[in-house]
Amino acid sequence: MKILVVEDDAETARYISTGLTELGHNVSVAADGRDGLFQGSDHDWDLLLVDRMLPGLDGLVLVSTLRAAGVEAPVLFLTTLGGIDDRVNGLNAGADDYLVKPFAFSELAARVAALGRRPRKTQADTVLRVADLRMDLVARTVQRGGADVELQPREFRLLEVLMRHAGEVVTRTMLLEKVWDLHFDPQTNVVESHMSRLRAKLDIPAGATLIHTIRGAGYSIREPRP
């Protein structure tokens, strides 16, 4: 595989690069976040190994920026931060796996191999559809019935979560975690107010309801029933 290692510690970078090269991979190294962003945007990588704490540009920002730019290569975070919130933040930023330092090279090699076996994402994975609603995750656009729908960033994320779980019930707790990164209930109507605005932009102009309240459970987006 063609692998980019973004690691500011020279000894660690050399250790990883040497080991992966011996396994037959083609490895390049970026010594900081800005170089990682430059190289990561310019090449067709099969895998990115990214240190969580980087000078110049934090690893979370680096990965989320690459994802927003349409880079779909799998990302494995390497980090000394092993808390649950740290792992969740890394995965929410767009990482596919998380390995806490110090680690055995055999485990790193196994995770690299596992990520390499995953099928590469296609253009279809960047476009979500429910009935006449279309969301382009790369262009960050939403259309209903061919008409553009202007959404605020939080509304876009809220709709994305619903569309990724189309036909399923998404609970209020899930939305707080995935959209607001809250792991407790703030006892406010933040979910309800954002959902109301989202419905006003999507459902009212079109006249057909896609977003449904499941009383006592949460919300669901699904095609209108005949």
Side-chain angles (χ1 to χ4, degrees), residues 30 34 39 44 50 55 77 86 95 100 121 144 152 161 165-166 170 209 211:
R34 294 189 184 281
Q39 292 198 51
D44 184 21
V50 180
F77 262 133
D86 296 310
V100 177
K121 291 184 178 181
R144 176 134 197 222
Q152 296 298 316
V161 173
H165 296 272
V170 182
T209 300
I211 301 175

Side-chain angles (χ1 to χ4, degrees), residues 51-111:
D51 185 32
R52 171 66 174 77
M53 306 295 288
L54 289 167
L57 193 67
D58 176 76
L60 288 180
V61 178
L62 166 62
V63 172
S64 61
T65 302
L66 289 174
R67 290 295 189 234
V71 175
E72 299 290 352
V75 173
L76 171 61
F77 262 133
L78 307 174
T79 181
T80 56
L81 303 175
I84 292 177
D85 286 345
D86 296 310
R87 294 197 296 272
V88 169
N89 289 338
L91 295 173
N92 284 341
D96 297 87
D97 201 356
Y98 214 96
L99 186 57
V100 177
K101 299 177 180 178
F103 52 82
F105 182 78
S106 58
E107 182 178 5
L108 173 64
R111 289 176 184 252

